Amino acid sequence: MPTRRFADGEVVRGRWPGSSLYYEVEILSHDSKSQLYTVKYKDGTELELKESDIKPLTSFRQRKSGSASSSPSRRRGSRSRSRSRSPGRPPRSSRRSASASHQADRKEARKEILEVKLTPLVLKPFGNSINRYNGEPEHREKNDLPHKTTQVHTGSFSLQEKFHLPQESSYLSTQYSLRPRREEIKLKEIDAQEEKIVTEGPTSLRTFEVTTKQPKEVEFGGVPGFYAFILTSGLVGASLLWDVELYYVYNHFLQFALAATVWAVVLSVYLCARALKAPRNDLSPASSGNAIYDFFIGRELNPRIGTFDLKYFCELRPGLIGWVVINLVMLLAEMKVQNRAFPSLAMILVNSFQLLYVVDALWNEEALLTTMDITHDGFGFMLAFGDLVWVPFIYSFQAFYLVAHPNELSWPAASLIVALKLCGFIIFRCANSQKNAFRKNPNDPKLAHLKTIHTSTGKNLLVSGWWGFVRHPNYLGDLIMALAWSLPCGFSHILPYFYVIYFTALLVHREARDEHHCKRKYGLAWEKYCQRVPYRIFPHIY
Ligand code: NDP
């Protein structure tokens, strides 16, 4: 049985993929199957490394400062040309012309370029601002946030922590999975922005001023966001005016669902095929290299045709808008099937509740950018099927049920259900908005009263407010709403409760996945958060 050489929590030096440079890393875990170690660099980057790419601290000699090639001024010069980049990005060109006759000198120069580009930048997911990184695994709690967000002080990571193996090995092409994809994506956006280097101390700290061209703020989720919903509403209104038989959709519900399934499969095959050519930088952290698994989870993180983001589009437009259109069709079908002049109270509640949910999602569509679907999962069959089939055809199930199973609701019962729905909605919306606002701008004065835990990635975790109540208050609110959607259908059948049962299972599983990722990402800081906020979704229960 193979044994592991390094223990969890051990601080060692790990090779940066594609280079012969070693940086200080912490061992997070070890997979006995693949024999890979998950390690964390000081900038928060997590990689899987082979044992042969990890060395104990004692195997290294620190490089002496003061040599020609490592002088701070020279590095400064090279940085001004290369700009700040993530460690994973390859070098573009040699920064000095080395004499052909001085092979060793060239090799040295190449190493230096890598070192310059390996300076960690810790980026926030929003706002194009750069966070403060101090190089320590911090776990201190604070509620006074730093106020300068346009500057970054990188630690002595790149300057002081260059280590070389006594025997340098050649540049290797390696297979590693880079986890913090969001940072990569934001870096691409940062590429389009202007960065300017300002003063710095002699060797230890570097200060970069990032002049960002702020995009003009847009409301309603941007031009095509909410307008897609308004356009659809206009089309449905016109269909009603022109007496288009929308009842047809109810009568052919299964056929429509099957057609949507075919679309989802075709889309997944296309996504799978194009992912074969996708650069490694564009692959999802969830992808594994196994063809079947990747077909399901999605290999490419955010596949785009030009600037058109396929995943973002499918997550919000066809599924969500299709869902409320189908609900409306069911409302009309109920009136027709049950010969009613008006829809039933139960049907009105189901339609209004779910309409509110969809309108809220489209209105706050920016919040989608910090969800797991966008940041972690690839775009494959799971999301394609979920977006195009599951959401519109399964989530409309309560309305579908009411067409053939009338349930007369009393006003007091309806009032209680409305109160439940509003309670769930307030928790859901406030929790999501609080986290989104915090991720967008941790220095937002409106959030100044909240307590946070600092993490070694540079990002903070909220430990008070909604996120101090339970670890997933947004899931709690979502589940309360799900129950409120089912209750108008009465208690004579389990089917209207399918959604709330399925959704509970989904969110419990999702919470476990997120927990796993956060533990890897934030390490001890996450454990401290879990101690402070012991319940995951349901206070005092789970
Ligand atoms: P969340 O929006 O809850 O995002 C989880 C992430 O939030 C974590 O990975 C972490 O990312 C960050 N985070 C966690 N704890 C904290 C904290 N204390 N302080 C600051 N940041 C924290 O996850 P989901 O993407 O799963 O859900 C988004 C919404 O979508 C939820 O409301 C959910 O109910 C809903 N949903 C609805 C579905 C449906 O079918 N109706 C399906 C799935 C989800 P980081 O630190 O990197 O920012």
Side-chain angles (χ1 to χ4, degrees):
M1 183 159 156
T3 51
R4 52 185 289 189
R5 191 174 162 203
F6 303 103
D8 288 355
E10 195 174 338
V11 177
V12 288
R13 304 240 171 239
R15 182 208 291 270
W16 184 258
S19 81
S20 59
L21 296 176
Y22 284 73
Y23 288 86
E24 192 174 298
V25 295
E26 182 192 344
I27 304 280
L28 294 183
S29 60
H30 177 257
D31 185 340
S32 53
K33 255 194 199 162
S34 61
Q35 287 295 307
L36 292 174
Y37 287 87
T38 301
V39 301
K40 189 174 189 171
Y41 291 75
K42 280 192 168 182
D43 69 335
T45 303
E46 288 181 23
L47 296 177
E48 283 174 345
L49 295 184
K50 286 180 286 185
E51 195 164 275
S52 55
D53 288 337
I54 301 174
K55 308 285 172 199
L57 295 178
T58 46
S59 313
F60 292 81
R61 59 178 167 80
Q62 182 143 12
R63 204 170 152 195
K64 285 195 180 74
S65 60
S67 72
S69 63
S70 63
S71 77
S73 60
R74 297 188 72 163
R75 274 191 224 106
R76 237 186 342 257
S78 78
R79 174 166 280 288
S80 65
R81 280 191 296 279
S82 66
R83 293 188 300 162
S84 318
R85 288 183 161 246
S86 101
R89 310 196 79 184
R92 232 179 307 174
S93 62
S94 184
R95 80 170 189 74
R96 66 173 178 173
S97 58
S99 152
S101 60
H102 291 89
Q103 279 253 344
D105 201 29
R106 268 213 307 271
K107 196 173 165 193
E108 189 68 18
R110 197 172 173 193
K111 276 187 290 181
E112 193 174 334
I113 290 157
L114 277 163
E115 286 153 12
V116 167
K117 289 173 192 286
L118 282 164
T119 302
L121 272 181
V122 184
L123 302 172
K124 293 172 192 156
F126 282 100
N128 300 329
S129 55
I130 295 178
N131 212 338
R132 186 177 287 250
Y133 174 80
N134 62 10
E136 302 161 19
E138 287 184 67
H139 313 294
R140 81 192 131 87
E141 185 184 317
K142 57 181 184 178
N143 55 10
D144 54 333
L145 295 161
H147 292 288
K148 288 205 169 195
T149 56
T150 52
Q151 287 191 333
V152 60
H153 297 263
T154 64
S156 50
F157 185 27
S158 67
L159 288 173
Q160 295 183 333
E161 300 202 16
K162 301 182 305 179
F163 289 86
H164 304 263
L165 274 178
Q167 289 180 331
E168 300 270 69
S169 47
S170 61
Y171 291 91
L172 299 171
S173 75
T174 47
Q175 291 181 9
Y176 300 96
S177 57
L178 283 171
R179 290 221 172 71
R181 308 296 310 166
R182 228 170 322 175
E183 274 77 3
E184 276 297 327
I185 292 162
K186 293 315 292 180
L187 275 162
K188 283 179 189 163
E189 290 169 16
I190 295 277
D191 275 350
Q193 296 164 355
E194 207 179 308
E195 290 181 17
K196 188 179 143 204
I197 295 175
V198 292
T199 55
E200 65 178 343
T203 54
S204 61
L205 284 181
R206 290 183 170 199
T207 306
F208 298 90
E209 186 181 75
V210 180
T211 316
T212 55
K213 286 173 192 154
Q214 291 292 340
K216 197 171 177 343
E217 260 200 39
V218 284
E219 295 192 29
F220 305 104
V223 175
F226 204 73
Y227 291 164
F229 178 72
I230 292 172
L231 180 70
T232 311
S233 307
L235 289 176
V236 171
S239 319
L240 292 175
L241 212 68
W242 293 324
D243 283 336
V244 174
E245 197 53 274
L246 291 175
Y247 180 69
Y248 182 85
V249 178
Y250 173 71
N251 267 345
H252 298 83
F253 196 58
L254 200 60
Q255 288 93 324
F256 274 99
L258 279 175
T261 306
V262 171
W263 264 110
V265 172
V266 170
L267 178 61
S268 310
V269 171
Y270 163 74
L271 291 168
C272 190
R274 62 169 277 153
L276 294 176
K277 289 190 196 157
R280 277 179 68 187
N281 272 358
D282 292 347
L283 300 189
S284 112
S287 65
S288 68
N290 178 296
I292 297 169
Y293 179 78
D294 285 357
F295 177 81
F296 175 76
I297 202 87
R299 197 166 141 75
E300 218 178 333
L301 184 64
N302 293 113
R304 288 184 182 149
I305 300 174
T307 54
F308 183 74
D309 191 309
L310 290 166
K311 180 162 78 172
Y312 195 74
F313 173 80
C314 289
E315 283 276 291
L316 282 171
R317 316 281 189 273
L320 288 182
I321 297 176
W323 173 16
V324 290
V325 169
I326 290 175
N327 270 352
L328 181 71
V329 166
M330 298 306 155
L331 183 144
L332 298 170
E334 185 202 48
M335 288 166 66
K336 185 160 179 149
V337 169
Q338 296 176 25
N339 268 328
R340 308 178 74 112
F342 296 100
S344 68
L345 184 54
M347 181 63 96
I348 290 173
L349 288 189
V350 167
N351 259 266
S352 329
F353 290 169
Q354 297 183 354
L355 180 67
L356 174 66
Y357 191 76
V358 168
V359 167
D360 172 79
L362 295 172
W363 192 274
N364 296 292
E365 71 164 22
E366 182 197 68
L368 191 75
L369 294 173
T370 54
T371 64
M372 278 168 66
D373 290 2
I374 294 293
T375 61
H376 183 265
D377 298 335
F379 193 29
F381 182 75
M382 180 180 81
L383 287 182
F385 182 79
D387 293 341
L388 302 183
V389 185
W390 195 259
V391 170
F393 292 95
I394 301 293
Y395 285 20
S396 57
F397 204 71
Q398 285 111 353
F400 181 76
Y401 173 84
L402 284 172
V403 176
H405 304 83
N407 182 46
E408 295 309 326
L409 266 187
S410 67
W411 282 103
S415 311
L416 283 177
I417 296 172
V418 170
L420 187 71
K421 162 73 188 181
L422 289 179
C423 166
F425 180 72
I426 288 168
I427 298 175
F428 167 84
R429 175 48 35 227
C430 293
N432 276 325
S433 296
Q434 195 169 72
K435 187 197 65 174
N436 196 42
F438 182 67
R439 282 289 175 249
K440 197 173 171 182
N441 176 16
N443 305 321
D444 188 337
K446 286 187 203 134
L447 306 173
H449 63 287
L450 295 176
K451 288 188 174 169
T452 63
I453 295 178
H454 196 58
T455 78
S456 57
T457 67
K459 272 186 186 177
N460 293 349
L461 290 168
L462 290 165
V463 279
S464 69
W466 289 104
W467 296 82
F469 178 50
V470 285
R471 296 209 293 273
H472 265 292
N474 48 355
Y475 289 3
L476 176 67
D478 223 341
L479 287 169
I480 293 173
M481 285 195 287
L483 182 63
W485 299 351
S486 304
L487 289 173
C489 302
F491 300 100
S492 46
H493 211 295
I494 186 102
L495 282 184
Y497 292 85
F498 170 76
Y499 175 74
V500 69
I501 295 166
Y502 141 82
F503 199 47
T504 305
L506 179 131
L507 290 185
V508 165
H509 178 249
R510 199 173 168 95
E511 192 280 334
R513 286 178 69 207
D514 191 48
E515 175 93 8
H516 180 68
H517 297 142
C518 287
K519 211 169 181 173
R520 288 184 123 175
K521 210 171 1 176
Y522 300 121
L524 286 171
W526 183 259
E527 280 169 25
K528 188 175 176 188
Y529 175 52
C530 295
Q531 278 168 11
R532 286 289 305 270
V533 186
Y535 293 102
R536 296 159 190 259
I537 301 176
F538 304 104
H540 303 291
I541 301 173
Y542 177 75

